[in-house]
Amino acid sequence: MIRVSGLEFAYREGSFRLRIPHLEIHEGSTSAFVGPSGSGKTTLLNLIAGIVLPNRGIVEMDGVEVSAMGDAQRRDYRITHIGLVFQEFELLEYLTVLDNILLPYRINSSLELDREVYERAETLAEQVGISDKLSRYPKKLSQGERQRVAVCRAVLPQPIMLLADEPTGNLDPVNKWRVLDILFEYAEESGTTLVAVTHDHEVLERFGRVVDFKEFQEYERDDVERVEP
Ligand code: ADP
Ligand code: MG
């Protein structure tokens, strides 16, 4: 379970403020983050992943306070627990598609890259329709293909939490549902908590819950915990 409490966050520059009095996201649930551009959806994913730290309040995962960990500990926690699909994909241009998908295994000694992992990587690539592009470099991919590589990379280490920032934003309808199927199937099979930012109202009904960031702007003192629909 993710528990956010009394959270206040501001970037060093600019006037943006994120205030979340209380938010709980239950283990194995699927949540969509919606809200206007600039309302802090990406920022909250980064806070949950321990990429940035709150100015006040806590971010807790399974009873462990992520926001109180040191840098190295937070990085380990992220690599071993969280699959991230970044809004900008963050693929490494000098690695092939396959090596990008395998990247978590290359940079983290606690993940062992064996034949079974290769096979799962190939299966994932097939499921999202990029298996003929495994030896290409990201430069020669469309935006939608890059996005699908990012989804494969996030799922491969079998994280207990998947955080996806607009994972279907660049996809045509066929690939949109393919990518969502991967995320939801993986989440269901492994009891993973799935949180995805989306602007796409067509996909919202697949999520167990919708967290609307408008609430965080309008209410500053009240408890804004969203109820399960
Ligand atoms: P969303 O994902 O909901 O569109 P973000 O979380 O990306 O919103 O951004 C929230 C606000 O914080 C925006 O006003 C954005 O311009 C600002 N912001 C994002 N990243 C930074 C940064 N590194 N430094 C300063 N301001 C930032
Ligand atoms: Mg964003």
Side-chain angles (χ1 to χ4, degrees), residues 89-215:
F89 319 139
E90 313 283 349
L91 302 184
L92 297 183
E93 300 295 337
Y94 57 89
L95 294 179
T96 62
V97 165
L98 180 61
D99 284 329
N100 265 286
I101 296 174
L102 296 172
L103 187 68
Y105 287 82
R106 301 231 190 264
I107 59 175
N108 182 22
S109 55
S110 66
L111 297 175
E112 196 190 335
L113 182 53
D114 56 20
R115 173 166 287 280
E116 184 263 339
V117 175
Y118 270 102
E119 282 169 4
R120 277 196 296 114
E122 282 166 3
T123 306
L124 279 168
E126 207 169 297
Q127 285 173 301
V128 298
I130 54 166
S131 54
D132 56 336
K133 304 194 171 70
L134 288 175
S135 56
R136 269 202 210 172
Y137 288 89
K139 231 183 277 145
K140 297 195 173 166
L141 298 177
S142 70
Q143 283 293 96
E145 286 162 350
R146 295 167 73 92
Q147 196 161 30
R148 283 177 276 158
V149 176
V151 168
C152 293
R153 183 179 62 189
V155 172
L156 187 66
Q158 303 177 310
I160 60 162
M161 181 178 312
L162 267 173
L163 304 176
D165 205 348
E166 306 196 29
T168 60
N170 295 283
L171 301 178
D172 58 78
V174 171
N175 286 312
K176 177 169 94 180
W177 296 113
R178 267 179 169 173
V179 161
L180 282 171
D181 285 346
I182 297 281
L183 293 174
F184 277 90
E185 273 166 26
Y186 171 72
E188 262 160 41
E189 272 166 24
S190 37
T192 294
T193 310
L194 171 65
V195 176
V197 175
T198 181
H199 282 295
D200 187 343
H201 284 270
E202 262 183 48
V203 310
L204 286 185
E205 63 183 31
R206 284 193 73 166
F207 290 87
R209 176 188 185 190
V210 175
V211 178
D212 190 340
F213 276 57
K214 266 192 279 192
E215 306 277 342

Side-chain angles (χ1 to χ4, degrees), residues 25-117:
I25 296 174
H26 296 282
E27 203 176 305
S29 65
T30 60
S31 306
F33 284 2
V34 300
S37 178
S39 58
K41 304 180 295 297
T42 298
T43 303
L44 182 55
L45 291 188
N46 287 336
L47 283 157
I48 293 171
I51 294 169
V52 294
L53 291 171
N55 302 93
R56 280 196 190 161
I58 59 161
V59 176
E60 208 179 84
M61 177 140 147
D62 295 335
V64 180
E65 197 180 331
V66 180
S67 45
M69 291 177 185
D71 287 351
Q73 221 185 340
R74 277 206 320 279
R75 182 175 173 275
D76 282 351
Y77 148 84
R78 188 159 60 240
I79 292 172
T80 49
H81 292 77
I82 298 181
L84 279 159
V85 182
F86 294 97
Q87 202 164 7
E88 312 294 337
F89 319 139
E90 313 283 349
L91 302 184
L92 297 183
E93 300 295 337
Y94 57 89
L95 294 179
T96 62
V97 165
L98 180 61
D99 284 329
N100 265 286
I101 296 174
L102 296 172
L103 187 68
Y105 287 82
R106 301 231 190 264
I107 59 175
N108 182 22
S109 55
S110 66
L111 297 175
E112 196 190 335
L113 182 53
D114 56 20
R115 173 166 287 280
E116 184 263 339
V117 175

